[in-house]
Amino acid sequence: MPQFFEYFLLTIFIAGLIFISHWIGQQAYTWMPPQATAEAQRVDDLFSFLTTIGAFILLGLVSMMLYSVLFYRAKPDDYSEGHPSRGNAKLEIFWTITPILLVAWIAFQNINIYKQLNILGLKQIVQFPLDAAPAEAAMVQNTPKPAAETIQVIAKQWNWRFRYPNDVINRELHLPVNESTRLNLQAEEVIHGFYIPEFRLRQDAIPGRDIAIVVTPIRTGKYRLQDAEFSGTYFALMQADVYVESREAYERWLARVAQQPIELVDAAVAEQSRSPRTLLKTGWYTGLSDSASVADSLSPKDGGNS
């Protein structure tokens, strides 16, 4: 009876631990920006699961240590060693097989997310299917996923430019909601990081390579594209507005900007051309004062990039 009671209490404790860990995992959804793409849902689900597992392990270990300190404290004159756990085949198998299965499941979920994003142009590490020949596997991976729109994303120090199907070039990224859009990432001189937090999307644009990625926005609104890769002194200025809107609003915007194209001004040049914003004239270097000096400083002969 006492042994049965101990098992009963242990079962209740594990059940409570699972409930609390699951609750913590659900709270992880609130730590992120709003989900704006279908791919973001898969990423957040995986993050919530990892948070749940981490909370379960942490709370379990802390509880076990506190229980041992309270109820199994050694006497002051007891210097004997505790009972070793070596040689317990069941325990060895358990804590060997369990992490292997857990890591394999996490890897499988990551693979599914990458397949949903349909990233093309990168050297494949994992072949799909696993039993296919290398040529067949590459063909499977390089098969484009159907997309309603294809937009060219051009990264340049220090701005983003977007070329739409009607050959309109703009500094704003507009995407139709509930439709898959293929983004072809290109970089002109250095590596840039295409990063939209609400999309859970972060992909490098590499000079000399065309990298394509598919996103499916599910939430209308205005978001912010940032450069997540250090690409030069003014890389913090390399941002762009991202709009997710209905198909009708997207078509109206395309028609409007096709007739009234905006001037593509380099944000770094605009920043450097400003007069110093200081109360006292210290004589310290604060930037270039005229556009001619700016253009000269950005010329290839001086090591800059135009």
Side-chain angles (χ1 to χ4, degrees), residues 20-34:
I20 296 175
S21 301
H22 177 72
W23 179 82
I24 295 176
Q26 293 300 308
Q27 301 309 305
Y29 286 102
T30 63
W31 304 343
M32 297 288 194

Side-chain angles (χ1 to χ4, degrees), residues 174-220:
H174 287 246
L175 301 172
V177 69
N178 296 325
E179 296 183 17
S180 296
T181 301
R182 183 178 305 280
L183 303 176
N184 290 338
L185 308 181
Q186 301 174 355
E188 292 191 358
E189 67 295 270
V190 297
I191 297 177
H192 296 278
F194 184 90
Y195 177 49
I196 305 176
E198 291 81 2
F199 287 16
R200 309 295 187 272
L201 174 58
R202 193 264 190 238
Q203 176 60 49
D204 281 343
I206 304 174
R209 301 185 64 176
D210 292 333
I211 300 176
I213 191 167
V214 174
V215 296
T216 308
I218 59 173
R219 183 189 182 101
T220 59

Side-chain angles (χ1 to χ4, degrees), residues 160-173:
W160 299 97
R161 300 181 183 182
F162 309 97
R163 184 188 298 273
Y164 292 87
N166 59 352
D167 287 333
V168 168
I169 299 178
N170 200 274
R171 293 195 62 183
E172 294 180 355
L173 177 59

